[in-house]
Amino acid sequence: EDQVTQSPEALRLQEGESSSLNCSYTVSGLRGLFWYRQDPGKGPEFLFTLYSAGEEKEKERLKATLTKKESFLHITAPKPEDSATYLCAVQAKRGYSTLTFGKGTMLLVSP
Amino acid sequence: DGGITQSPKYLFRKEGQNVTLSCEQNLNHDAMYWYRQDPGQGLRLIYYSQIVNDFQKGDIAEGYSVSREKKESFPLTVTSAQKNPTAFYLCASSIEKAWNQPQHFGDGTRLSIL
């Protein structure tokens, strides 16, 4: 069974204070790992897809990295508008595989 | 603008009543999905459809039904058999043939019990 564990559950940062969110996964052959951002009362917004260990993707203050067991979402010099819940999901290689989501990390950035 | 439209935004259900949540997409995506999100929980898959007139059960299909008569539309019915329907429901779509492509989500319907 595929599993995704995200940590921490919640993180509070001061504006400009860089940090990382973790996504640990267990899957029988990874087809892709996805990061989403979700604002309260809204649907998840796609951020990145990572396919293989060693891969990195960047977007503004966010950088996602991938190893064989986990992915990190690094947030550099965050701003209050980065406050959201960040979701991680994996897709396995077998057949037509749906996504398995983690419970998310709720990030709050204070001015 | 291309996207996924879910309606209504808020919905209330009486005991013993079936309610239907609407999901429409104009992205020309083949695959569509329904998820349920509860506080502190990850998204859980209810049903998905890879092609018109075909759909498969997800992890928590009991008490729900779907139809896929048109490529653009994938309505979800929450039946009276679903004893704990209060949740945030999310619809998503993706390009089915291109694996590794992300799912794109609507802005959800919040269902509550009267």
Side-chain angles (χ1 to χ4, degrees):
Chain A
E1 184 182 337
D2 303 333
Q3 289 191 328
V4 177
T5 302
Q6 292 188 244
S7 61
E9 290 184 9
L11 180 62
R12 185 164 189 159
L13 300 174
Q14 290 294 122
E15 185 172 3
E17 180 187 1
S18 301
S19 188
S20 296
L21 313 182
N22 177 265
C23 171
S24 296
Y25 64 90
T26 304
V27 64
S28 54
L30 181 70
R31 178 173 289 152
L33 184 141
F34 303 84
W35 280 99
Y36 288 86
R37 169 195 170 122
Q38 185 176 23
D39 293 304
K42 298 286 189 180
E45 174 190 347
F46 170 69
L47 293 173
F48 305 110
T49 308
L50 300 168
Y51 301 108
S52 57
E55 188 175 3
E56 299 183 353
K57 294 263 179 86
E58 286 190 66
K59 180 180 180 179
E60 296 180 357
R61 296 176 293 282
L62 300 177
K63 183 168 104 173
T65 62
L66 181 65
T67 73
K68 288 186 178 180
K69 294 183 179 180
E70 58 192 348
S71 176
F72 291 94
L73 185 65
H74 307 277
I75 304 176
T76 301
K79 297 181 177 181
E81 52 262 41
D82 294 322
S83 298
T85 295
Y86 291 86
L87 303 173
C88 171
V90 297
Q91 184 182 43
K93 278 185 178 175
R94 59 183 180 278
Y96 182 86
S97 179
T98 54
L99 297 183
T100 300
F101 280 84
K103 294 181 180 181
T105 292
M106 186 184 302
L107 174 66
L108 178 62
V109 182
S110 302
Chain B
D1 274 298
I4 300 173
T5 301
Q6 290 189 241
S7 62
K9 190 170 177 65
Y10 300 96
L11 188 58
F12 297 91
R13 194 191 90 169
K14 294 179 181 178
E15 294 289 340
Q17 186 182 44
N18 293 352
V19 292
T20 297
L21 285 60
S22 170
C23 178
E24 303 278 333
Q25 55 100 358
N26 60 4
L27 299 168
N28 200 33
H29 285 172
D30 296 298
M32 297 186 74
Y33 312 81
W34 274 106
Y35 292 90
R36 170 181 173 139
Q37 188 174 35
D38 295 281
Q41 299 293 320
L43 275 67
R44 292 184 289 168
L45 184 64
I46 304 172
Y47 269 98
Y48 65 101
S49 167
Q50 297 170 250
I51 197 169
V52 174
N53 292 323
D54 188 39
F55 47 83
Q56 286 77 42
K57 293 181 179 180
D59 300 319
I60 54 166
E62 186 175 349
Y64 300 98
S65 66
V66 293
S67 62
R68 186 87 187 276
E69 297 177 0
K70 298 187 299 181
K71 187 175 182 177
E72 306 78 32
S73 179
F74 191 38
L76 173 74
T77 296
V78 184
T79 75
S80 57
Q82 173 50 245
K83 296 307 177 188
N84 184 23
T86 297
F88 190 48
Y89 290 87
L90 289 160
C91 178
S93 69
S94 69
I95 302 172
E96 189 269 331
K97 298 275 188 282
W99 290 349
N100 290 345
Q101 294 303 305
Q103 295 179 15
H104 297 274
F105 286 82
D107 275 340
T109 292
R110 189 167 299 280
L111 176 62
S112 303
I113 297 299
L114 280 178

